[in-house]
Amino acid sequence: MHPMIYADNAATTSLSPAVLEKMTPYLTQYYGNPSSLYSFSDAPQKAVARAREQVAAVLGAQPNEIYFTSGGSESDNWALKGMAQALRRKGKTHIITSAFEHHAVLHTVNALQKQGFAVTLLPVHENGLVRPDELAAALREDTGLVSIMLANNEIGTIQPIKELAAVAKAHGAVFHTDAVQAVGHIPVNVAELGVDMLSLSAHKFHGPKGVGALYVRRGVVPDILIDGGAQERGRRAGTENVAGIVGLGEAITLAAANMDQIAPKLRELRDYFIDHALSIPRSRVNGDRVHRLPGNVNMCFEGIEGESLLLLLDLQGICASSGSACTSGSLDPSHVLLAIGLPHEVAHGSLRLSFGDETTMEDVQYILEKLGPIVERLRAMSPLWERIQNENR
Amino acid sequence: MYTEQVMDHFTNPRNVGEIPDADGVGEVGNAKCGDIMKMYIKVKDGVITDVKFKTYGCGSAIATSSIATEMIKGHTLEEALTLSNQAVVEALGGLPAHKIHCSVLAEESIKAAIADYYKRQGIDPGPLVGQQSDCAHCCEA
């Protein structure tokens, strides 16, 4: 069998050996609790402080604006629930987000809706982009919070965050962005973007799982989500995941340093793949081709279902993902693909590949070589494909 | 996630294709749900002499269609009508809970093909085939 080709870097990435090396001493040698007084805890304390500086430096923030969390989902939950509760006391109970956010945002605003908040979901259109003028039109007197993701996790489209944040700011609303897919892959600077809060997760850029951060601009004060001890300057309780935090700091620094080298290579692989895969009849690219994460491919192949496509790719050693209902574990295909206007039957036949710095041109060519015959094979046994063919005769 | 039997029938499906001069054809499921099964049968003296299928759907939809064709080929129509979705699931060594509806589709597609055969013979399929579903909403069950 062909060696495994991992093309699902949007799901998670490998842990960088250099990152692991920096983490290990904090799991073995320097295991002290950073909150303890004795000198044995100096090392973990300093390590957490250093990681905070590393994250702040990459994001263009101040270290005291960085709060470590357990990952992207917690950061999103804290930003939205914490801010919504704080804003409610000022009579601001309307939240605006987009229709194709990650579930960590969508399910959180659903929960807030049940608590009495009003929620508006902005459309994302066929190209998968939120329009600043539509945000402006959706703002109400009681709008306190806007949350729009920086880059979409399925179709990789990069939102005009700077423009969107400016619209929110002019209205006096707090602006949060879920940047989990963007940080480490494209330049993200909180000052340039003008965002008030930003979520990130280490395992999306070769850091460890189970650690992330929330950037909270000075002066913005969401209510506390995790009550308890005085860690994170009293804002997020729980003994620090020291090794994880060290890994996050190291991984974000490496990702930022290597970005100029890796991103152009990924764009080339991505565009090469899409250009060639489009030669498969009745295939399409999902989402804008320009405003798109460097390593993201998302395509649909009509007449076939995504799970069987993934299983056959897996048999060839290729790890990929799909937005089909069967792979989502729910009855409906991906809400992202439905949000960009795809009919259910087209969305079921989706394939997401997310290339990373380990992906080579040989890998891309190998996937292309296998993909065509697999699609053909599934179509040959598909009554839906037969129907599509007959309709176009 | 899947048993060896499911992967075997998915990767090497039996009886895939069409029968151009089929005596009965049944199609169930819908594109919106992400699975459609189409069964073709050839019948001689009340026995299913040949059966072919085409399926649009996930791995377990393809596997259940494949094994179902094996379970009815060479059997009488009456025997084929007794094939239950549970029997299909058992023959595959089990299916994940959210894939059980695929086995229902397999059972219903066979019933639909046999009902079509009876209709073509001028026989009312109602009393013979019993309650039928086109499984347009099986995925919502």
Side-chain angles (χ1 to χ4, degrees):
Chain A
M1 192 168 143
H2 192 276
M4 184 185 90
I5 293 177
Y6 186 75
D8 203 16
N9 287 278
T12 194
T13 58
S14 63
L15 180 64
S16 151
V19 171
L20 175 63
E21 200 184 321
K22 297 275 183 182
M23 291 170 64
T24 311
Y26 296 95
L27 291 164
T28 53
Q29 205 177 341
Y30 308 117
Y31 57 81
N33 189 321
S35 300
S36 301
L37 187 70
Y38 35 73
S39 51
F40 178 53
S41 281
D42 286 355
Q45 231 171 64
K46 280 187 183 137
V48 170
R50 181 179 139 76
R52 201 183 307 283
E53 282 166 13
Q54 288 175 310
V55 174
V58 170
L59 297 181
Q62 295 302 313
N64 63 8
E65 294 174 315
I66 304 299
Y67 297 88
F68 293 118
T69 67
S70 63
S73 291
E74 186 193 323
S75 295
D76 287 342
N77 268 265
W78 182 17
L80 298 173
K81 289 177 179 164
M83 208 62 235
Q85 298 303 345
L87 288 164
R88 169 137 67 182
R89 292 191 291 275
K90 295 180 181 168
K92 306 275 192 187
T93 53
H94 179 225
I95 301 165
I96 300 175
T97 184
S98 83
F100 76 163
E101 295 294 314
H102 190 274
H103 285 131
V105 167
L106 278 185
H107 289 174
T108 300
V109 296
N110 284 348
L112 288 166
Q113 209 164 11
K114 285 180 191 145
Q115 292 169 30
F117 289 91
V119 174
T120 299
L121 299 182
L122 294 176
V124 295
H125 306 281
E126 202 204 346
N127 59 1
L129 295 173
V130 176
R131 297 179 184 165
D133 60 319
E134 290 183 340
L135 170 59
L139 289 164
R140 313 192 318 207
E141 203 171 314
D142 60 345
T143 307
L145 179 59
V146 179
S147 178
I148 307 290
M149 69 200 317
L150 211 163
N152 183 269
N153 52 307
E154 287 187 36
I155 60 173
T157 50
I158 299 167
Q159 305 305 311
I161 293 299
K162 193 175 171 178
E163 290 76 13
L164 293 163
V167 169
K169 197 182 201 93
H171 188 77
V174 173
F175 191 93
H176 165 255
T177 188
D178 173 345
V180 166
Q181 291 290 335
V183 171
H185 302 281
I186 55 170
V188 175
N189 182 295
V190 290
E192 273 173 33
L193 292 172
V195 299
D196 296 307
M197 295 188 286
L198 178 145
S199 304
L200 64 90
S201 176
H203 75 101
K204 304 294 190 185
F205 45 83
H206 302 289
K209 292 169 184 64
V211 62
L214 181 66
Y215 157 79
V216 185
R217 193 169 61 76
R218 190 196 299 249
V220 175
V221 189
D223 281 10
I224 289 166
L225 182 73
I226 311 282
D227 287 298
Q231 291 88 357
E232 297 300 286
R233 304 178 297 292
R235 308 305 311 283
R236 195 278 189 185
T239 298
E240 294 86 345
N241 171 8
V242 179
I245 289 167
V246 167
L248 166 56
E250 202 57 31
I252 200 170
T253 305
L254 287 174
N258 298 332
M259 196 180 290
D260 286 347
Q261 202 191 324
I262 292 164
K265 185 199 95 171
L266 288 181
R267 284 191 189 96
E268 191 191 324
L269 296 178
R270 173 197 71 187
D271 293 340
Y272 181 92
F273 185 93
I274 293 174
D275 289 340
H276 284 78
L278 279 174
S279 67
I280 294 173
R282 298 197 73 102
S283 59
R284 55 163 287 148
V285 187
N286 299 315
D288 194 277
R289 280 200 66 175
V290 178
H291 300 104
R292 188 179 196 99
L293 286 174
N296 175 284
V297 171
N298 192 305
M299 298 183 70
C300 282
F301 305 98
E302 285 184 48
I304 66 169
E305 195 280 329
E307 192 216 63
S308 30
L309 176 60
L310 293 192
L311 289 171
L312 291 176
L313 286 170
D314 185 34
L315 288 172
Q316 302 295 335
I318 301 161
C319 305
S321 106
S322 169
S324 87
C326 280
T327 53
S328 72
S330 75
L331 303 172
D332 283 318
S334 143
H335 70 287
V336 173
L337 299 179
L338 297 180
I340 62 167
L342 293 187
H344 279 65
E345 57 271 29
V346 176
H348 284 303
S350 75
L351 172 69
R352 180 188 73 179
L353 298 169
S354 36
F355 302 139
D357 36 11
E358 291 136 344
T359 313
T360 64
M361 184 52 102
E362 287 70 43
D363 293 342
V364 168
Q365 283 165 342
Y366 175 80
I367 302 170
L368 280 168
E369 186 190 305
K370 297 296 170 191
L371 178 65
I374 287 174
V375 171
E376 225 169 275
R377 171 180 167 176
L378 290 170
R379 280 177 173 173
M381 66 166 90
S382 164
L384 178 61
W385 180 244
E386 180 187 319
R387 198 183 296 165
I388 293 166
Q389 297 290 88
N390 289 338
E391 279 165 10
N392 289 283
R393 208 157 268 168
Chain B
M1 177 170 105
Y2 287 131
T3 64
E4 239 173 80
Q5 295 97 307
V6 173
M7 285 310 288
D8 176 36
H9 277 272
F10 169 65
T11 52
N12 304 297
R14 284 47 143 190
N15 305 309
V16 181
E18 299 168 27
I19 302 177
D21 59 339
D23 297 318
V25 180
E27 182 179 309
V28 298
N30 74 52
K32 199 181 170 196
C33 288
D35 32 36
I36 301 172
M37 279 184 203
K38 197 168 180 180
M39 286 279 171
Y40 300 79
I41 53 170
K42 207 60 195 153
V43 182
K44 201 179 175 203
D45 303 328
V47 173
I48 298 172
T49 56
D50 197 11
V51 50
K52 295 254 191 260
F53 81 90
K54 283 182 95 173
T55 290
Y56 155 74
C58 59
S60 64
I62 291 167
T64 52
S65 323
S66 167
I67 202 162
T69 61
E70 279 196 327
M71 292 170 87
I72 61 164
K73 195 170 175 175
H75 289 260
T76 62
L77 293 169
E78 290 74 24
E79 285 165 345
L81 285 171
T82 63
L83 181 74
S84 69
N85 79 298
Q86 291 96 319
V88 170
V89 174
E90 276 165 34
L92 286 171
L95 280 177
H98 62 289
K99 300 287 186 182
I100 297 295
H101 82 269
C102 293
S103 64
V104 177
L105 276 179
E107 178 190 326
E108 292 298 337
S109 65
I110 289 166
K111 280 190 185 164
I114 294 174
D116 182 55
Y117 165 76
Y118 283 132
K119 272 185 224 154
R120 292 186 195 194
Q121 301 298 311
I123 303 165
D124 175 15
L128 296 160
V129 179
Q131 188 77 26
Q132 274 184 75
S133 157
D134 62 359
C135 265
H137 302 284
C138 283
C139 71
E140 290 152 34

